[in-house]
Amino acid sequence: MFTLVPHAFGWMTEQRPIAAVLGGELELRLLNYRDWTPLRAGQVDDEPYGGGAGMVLRVDTVASALDAVYGGQPGHRVVALTPSGRPLTQEVVEELAAEDALTLLSARFEGFDERIVEHLATDAISIGPYVLSGGELPAMVILDAVARRLPGALGSEESGLVESFSRELEGGVEYPQYTRPAEFRGWNVPDVLLSGDHRRIEEWRMEQSRLRSVG
Ligand SMILES: C[S@@+](CC[C@H](N)C(=O)[O-])C[C@H]1O[C@@H](n2cnc3c(N)ncnc32)[C@H](O)[C@@H]1O
């Protein structure tokens, strides 16, 4: 993970699912472009050609960070986080989780010099049609979503098999979940869930998932 603010990721490494797989299924390296910039005083960005507000992350500083860490272009996928990228979906998450290694590139301010996206990255991913102030939150979204697909990431209180967008639910969203009390302020848990009839419960859940996934 290349970023200008590696410390932003601190809390994530202490929580599930990342904490559960760190040092085992997952090795996470938080790297700062500034540590390898060829420019003076830790400079990594510059004014945009053509004018306009803001600062753009320079291609030479990102190339130099990749060269220093990987000895050249990495032999695995390099994902630039950008609002103009391919939308992140569970399908993309599964695809990324199947990779042995990934590099995520984050920018701030006005974003990347386009040559980073074109020549240094292999993929560009957006977490949604809105603009955040930096790629750190998008990177954390990807890290969390990918980490929970790794063996041992989830505790017994959570199922990673039957959940929204899974094959088990035909790619649809999850059915409604309820817990105790069975009645609260006159709001009742559906009778079928209290019936103990597992086949009916499965059927009801699948039907609810399909109903919620329409459109
Ligand atoms: C303020 S944004 C740059 C926005 C850019 N000037 C534009 O209009 O598309 C700074 C950085 O935050 C990250 N970022 C912001 N929104 C994002 C999103 N929806 N998905 C992925 N990354 C995002 C990217 O790394 C981006 O380069």
Side-chain angles (χ1 to χ4, degrees):
M1 173 69 233
F2 287 87
T3 168
L4 289 170
V5 273
H7 59 271
F9 293 78
W11 70 272
M12 264 205 109
T13 58
E14 294 157 17
Q15 309 286 329
R16 269 185 189 278
I18 308 271
V21 287
L22 256 191
E25 289 286 327
L26 179 71
E27 185 199 341
L28 177 61
R29 298 172 72 193
L30 300 168
L31 306 160
N32 193 331
Y33 302 110
R34 289 194 205 285
D35 291 341
W36 295 282
T37 178
L39 308 173
R40 276 187 298 151
Q43 184 190 349
V44 292
D45 45 20
D46 227 317
E47 295 157 358
Y49 277 125
M55 296 294 270
V56 175
L57 189 60
R58 289 174 55 132
V59 63
D60 50 354
T61 56
V62 175
S64 131
L66 291 174
D67 286 350
V69 173
Y70 299 110
Q73 186 66 20
H76 55 255
R77 284 166 80 169
V78 178
V79 178
L81 299 158
T82 165
S84 58
R86 173 183 174 203
L88 184 69
T89 59
Q90 188 63 32
E91 210 179 321
V92 176
V93 167
E94 302 295 338
E95 196 184 297
L96 298 178
E99 298 287 341
D100 286 338
L102 281 177
T103 290
L104 303 183
L105 302 178
S106 167
R108 291 193 81 77
F109 314 119
E110 273 312 302
F112 298 103
D113 180 306
E114 193 58 24
R115 292 167 291 182
I116 298 168
V117 181
E118 267 178 34
H119 302 291
L120 299 180
T122 58
D123 299 69
I125 292 182
S126 163
I127 64 158
Y130 41 79
V131 179
L132 297 164
S133 305
E136 288 72 28
L137 287 172
M140 289 187 217
V141 167
I142 292 182
L143 272 171
D144 184 291
V146 165
R148 58 183 286 114
R149 303 310 301 151
L150 302 178
L154 302 182
S156 56
E157 64 281 357
E158 207 178 357
S159 156
L161 193 61
V162 184
E163 62 181 2
S164 293
F165 317 117
S166 63
R167 201 175 312 137
E168 281 67 13
L169 295 181
E170 300 165 352
V173 294
E174 198 180 58
Y175 44 80
Q177 298 271 19
Y178 298 88
T179 186
R180 294 185 185 87
E183 187 275 335
F184 181 70
R185 295 185 180 166
W187 307 327
N188 293 309
V189 169
D191 286 341
V192 61
L193 297 178
L194 310 176
S195 69
D197 183 337
H198 293 292
R199 231 189 68 193
R200 269 185 63 218
I201 292 172
E202 285 316 304
E203 283 167 7
W204 180 86
R205 285 179 163 169
M206 207 55 232
E207 183 190 321
Q208 291 295 313
S209 167
R210 287 187 188 124
L211 280 173
R212 291 178 143 198
S213 307
V214 176

